[in-house]
Amino acid sequence: MTTALPLFPLKSVLFPGLVLPLNIFEARYRALMRDLLAVPEDEPRRFGVVAIRDGREVAPTAVGLPEEVTGAAGTDPAGGFGPDLMSSFHTIGCVADATTIRKRPPRGSAPTGGAEEGPENGDDSAGYEALATGTTRFRLLSVDAGGPYLTAEVEELPEEEGEGAGALAAGVLRAFQTYQKRLAGARERTLAAGQELPDDPSVVSYLVAAATVLDTPAKQRLLQAPDTASRLAEELRVLRRESAVIGQLPSLPAVELTRKPTSFN
């Protein structure tokens, strides 16, 4: 089954079940937020997140600057990406549901109290803050730059469990606890410390994929694994390798690297 979705390319990977904070200031993505706000509150506000292979998240002249400084920067839906849009993005992405969208008040105006605001409520030049949750994976079939923001035709992908996923999930959780202990300097700040562990293998696979400190291509390989068991088997190899490497380091990597930053768009 195929469907059309607005497309939100990022320099990071979104996994099903994980929360994505967004700080939005470019014109193309403000247009996307306006359209999502027009969707009735009782319906999903869906868009597609794909990791960028060739390009950058923001238009080159708009990095970190509001539109009143950069003028028309960010109005080109394909700005900052390579000439071949399909080659600019990884093929497997994740559907996101915007659970919260808040418009920032224009500069010099009084705060509005944080309530959701629709496009009819005036100036949105200061941008939006949004929270989205990953839902299901998809395969990117085509990309269209004909509107104010990119849209895509996608095929949603079912999550197959695969053989031995339950046993692999238990092994991955043990390996992840060891990994966290070593990354945090052997202080008992692990997933198991006073927290209830998930027992669904697919949830485990995506939680560990998101929480492990890996580069984007490595996380992308986990997202596009053919089934849960394959993803868990790869995670087990990665966690054992990374734990062994960390154990040999004279000093541990900064723990703050495990915290996912807000994506600025």
Side-chain angles (χ1 to χ4, degrees):
M1 176 181 175
T2 65
T3 188
L5 287 175
L7 199 62
F8 207 123
L10 294 174
K11 276 289 190 182
S12 57
V13 177
L14 177 64
F15 294 96
L18 276 296
V19 174
L20 174 68
L22 293 169
N23 182 10
I24 295 153
F25 60 85
E26 284 195 308
R28 52 185 167 180
Y29 299 123
R30 297 203 312 270
L32 170 56
M33 292 299 111
R34 289 194 296 270
D35 286 352
L36 291 178
L37 281 171
V39 175
E41 290 186 25
D42 58 348
E43 296 182 14
R45 292 165 169 172
R46 297 184 353 136
F47 58 97
V49 173
V50 288
I52 299 168
R53 193 198 307 266
D54 176 18
R56 53 199 301 171
E57 288 186 354
V58 296
T61 58
V63 179
L65 296 176
E67 187 176 330
E68 56 264 31
V69 176
T70 60
T75 57
D76 179 3
F81 307 126
D84 180 354
L85 287 175
M86 278 297 292
S87 298
S88 295
F89 310 127
H90 287 279
T91 305
I92 306 299
C94 184
V95 178
D97 179 13
T99 52
T100 303
I101 303 173
R102 291 190 175 92
K103 184 171 68 177
R104 295 195 199 89
R107 290 187 177 188
S109 65
T112 61
E116 287 199 353
E117 298 183 63
E120 71 279 0
N121 290 327
D123 185 9
D124 68 354
S125 62
Y128 294 84
E129 293 176 350
L131 280 178
T133 303
T135 58
T136 57
R137 298 181 306 150
F138 64 79
R139 177 176 288 106
L140 192 64
L141 301 178
S142 65
V143 181
D144 181 13
Y149 48 80
L150 297 178
T151 58
E153 189 76 15
V154 305
E155 176 189 15
E156 296 189 31
L157 301 175
E159 179 70 18
E160 304 291 344
E161 186 168 282
E163 187 175 351
L168 282 165
V172 164
L173 283 174
R174 289 193 296 270
F176 185 60
Q177 290 160 17
T178 299
Y179 167 81
Q180 282 195 313
K181 281 185 181 181
R182 293 190 176 178
L183 196 63
R187 293 186 289 270
E188 294 293 319
R189 291 182 288 176
T190 71
L191 189 66
Q195 301 181 39
E196 184 177 347
L197 299 177
D199 54 13
D200 183 293
S202 68
V203 174
V204 170
S205 76
Y206 288 129
L207 175 64
V208 170
T212 304
V213 182
L214 299 170
D215 61 17
T216 297
K219 286 183 178 282
Q220 181 66 35
R221 286 193 293 273
L222 294 175
L223 179 69
Q224 62 193 39
D227 53 48
T228 300
S230 299
R231 185 177 305 109
L232 290 165
E234 176 63 19
E235 287 169 350
L236 195 55
R237 288 190 290 270
V238 168
L239 290 168
R240 287 171 174 169
R241 181 192 69 214
E242 294 296 306
S243 294
V245 169
I246 293 169
Q248 298 300 315
L249 293 176
S251 60
L252 291 169
V255 177
E256 60 266 20
L257 293 177
T258 63
R259 304 190 183 103
K260 182 178 176 60
T262 298
S263 293
F264 290 89
N265 295 282

